[in-house]
Amino acid sequence: MVQERTVDAAVIGAGQAGLSAAYYLQRRGLVPGPGFVVLDANEGPGGAWRHRWDSLTLGSVHGIHDLPRSALGTPDPLEPASSVVTRYYGSYEAEFGLQVQRPVRVLKVFNPEGTGLLRIDTGSGPWHARAVINATGTWDKPHWPRYPGQEEFRGTQLHTHDFRSAADFAGRRVLVVGGGTSAVQFLLQLREAGAHTVWSTRRPPEFTAAPFDTQWGRSVEHRVSERTRAGLPR
Ligand SMILES: Cc1cc2nc3c(=O)[nH]c(=O)nc-3n(C[C@H](O)[C@H](O)[C@H](O)COP(=O)(O)OP(=O)(O)OC[C@H]3O[C@@H](n4cnc5c(N)ncnc54)[C@H](O)[C@@H]3O)c2cc1C
């Protein structure tokens, strides 16, 4: 028989956003269990980070923002970010007693008439809640643009989501599409692994010698926000 459970708030997703939301629900007096529940589809902690490839070490990411009231500290920069973040989020869940329910995939959220509660259908039975916080991120549904001829192309096609190791491409010709950090890191690793690379970006890449610090980050963020608010491409 499927158990039905009722809470004040349900958080869907236990990545950075979901854990932060859970922390603040608790701080406002909601208790894990009757007050709120965190439902997460993953087998273990870490959100999207637990799926990232091994060569993405902590030293090669931009930096992991601390969760509320718990500092990440200074782990080994050579350790894969996936294991650092999985460990960090796992101990956070334990420290604050968040009781994340997993693996629980939410299939549907809807508003049945007359109950005043939202109904959350999951792979392991329904939940009911007064409020739902959707913190599911983008990793499970990555943006993958369509290109003319894509269906006929016989070579391997993959998204960042499915990258595992540059060694998989040794001796092959590889087109890397995109102008962000992941693309640059892929190009460097692919070349070292013996692949022949071609890089495609929408406009010429802009490299900067500015120090990669908080001030620079804020200024980039500010310019992106301004363009977004003005309805311009980011
Ligand atoms: C290659 C790469 C490098 C990055 N580097 C950095 C960096 O250096 N610094 C930085 O700050 N950010 C970085 N980011 C971005 C960062 O990873 C994301 O911004 C962050 O993970 C978003 O957190 P989130 O909590 O919103 O989502 P996620 O971490 O994606 O967590 C969402 C959670 O929701 C769960 N979920 C999804 N759907 C359901 C469902 N239907 N039912 C139940 N659970 C569900 C998932 O299983 C997952 O656990 C990087 C991203 C990429 C792709």
Side-chain angles (χ1 to χ4, degrees), residues 12-19 39-42 44 46-49 51-53 56 60-65 89 102 104-107 135-140 160 182 186:
I12 309 175
Q16 186 167 32
L19 294 182
L39 306 170
D40 189 48
N42 271 330
W49 283 99
H51 302 292
R52 307 251 156 93
W53 52 96
L56 190 71
S60 60
V61 301
H62 299 315
I64 312 291
H65 202 282
Y89 287 9
R102 61 164 68 91
V104 176
R105 180 166 289 281
V106 172
L107 306 170
T136 47
T138 55
W139 184 252
D140 287 350
T160 298
S182 293
F186 288 150

Side-chain angles (χ1 to χ4, degrees), residues 46-129:
W49 283 99
R50 69 181 279 114
H51 302 292
R52 307 251 156 93
W53 52 96
D54 285 350
S55 58
L56 190 71
T57 57
L58 199 68
S60 60
V61 301
H62 299 315
I64 312 291
H65 202 282
D66 286 345
L67 292 169
R69 295 290 302 278
S70 172
L72 169 64
T74 47
D76 179 358
L78 298 177
E79 187 177 351
S82 57
S83 52
V84 173
V85 178
T86 297
R87 200 169 56 238
Y88 174 41
Y89 287 9
S91 28
Y92 190 83
E93 291 174 13
E95 184 184 345
F96 291 95
L98 299 179
Q99 298 177 29
V100 176
Q101 306 288 310
R102 61 164 68 91
V104 176
R105 180 166 289 281
V106 172
L107 306 170
K108 186 175 172 183
V109 178
F110 59 106
N111 200 350
E113 267 179 43
T115 64
L117 291 170
L118 294 161
R119 178 176 159 126
I120 303 148
D121 281 352
T122 78
S124 50
W127 290 76
H128 294 94

Side-chain angles (χ1 to χ4, degrees), residues 80-228:
S82 57
S83 52
V84 173
V85 178
T86 297
R87 200 169 56 238
Y88 174 41
Y89 287 9
S91 28
Y92 190 83
E93 291 174 13
E95 184 184 345
F96 291 95
L98 299 179
Q99 298 177 29
V100 176
Q101 306 288 310
R102 61 164 68 91
V104 176
R105 180 166 289 281
V106 172
L107 306 170
K108 186 175 172 183
V109 178
F110 59 106
N111 200 350
E113 267 179 43
T115 64
L117 291 170
L118 294 161
R119 178 176 159 126
I120 303 148
D121 281 352
T122 78
S124 50
W127 290 76
H128 294 94
R130 285 199 299 122
V132 167
I133 297 177
N134 192 61
T136 47
T138 55
W139 184 252
D140 287 350
K141 289 214 167 95
H143 173 61
W144 193 335
R146 307 301 303 169
Y147 312 113
Q150 196 168 15
E151 289 74 17
E152 289 84 49
F153 179 69
R154 301 264 186 86
T156 309
Q157 294 183 57
L158 75 160
H159 187 277
T160 298
H161 177 273
D162 301 307
F163 179 86
R164 288 293 162 266
S165 163
D168 296 342
F169 301 90
R172 300 171 75 181
R173 260 164 50 89
V174 184
L175 171 69
V176 177
V177 182
T181 315
S182 293
V184 175
Q185 291 182 349
F186 288 150
L187 286 163
L188 294 172
Q189 290 177 43
L190 286 163
R191 206 169 73 159
E192 206 178 308
H196 309 279
T197 55
V198 182
W199 188 14
S200 167
T201 59
R202 281 193 294 196
R203 58 186 171 79
E206 283 172 41
F207 291 96
T208 174
F212 191 81
D213 58 13
T214 313
Q215 200 183 351
W216 180 78
R218 287 209 177 106
S219 141
V220 171
E221 178 63 31
H222 179 68
R223 280 182 283 146
V224 172
S225 301
E226 275 198 336
R227 286 185 67 84
T228 308

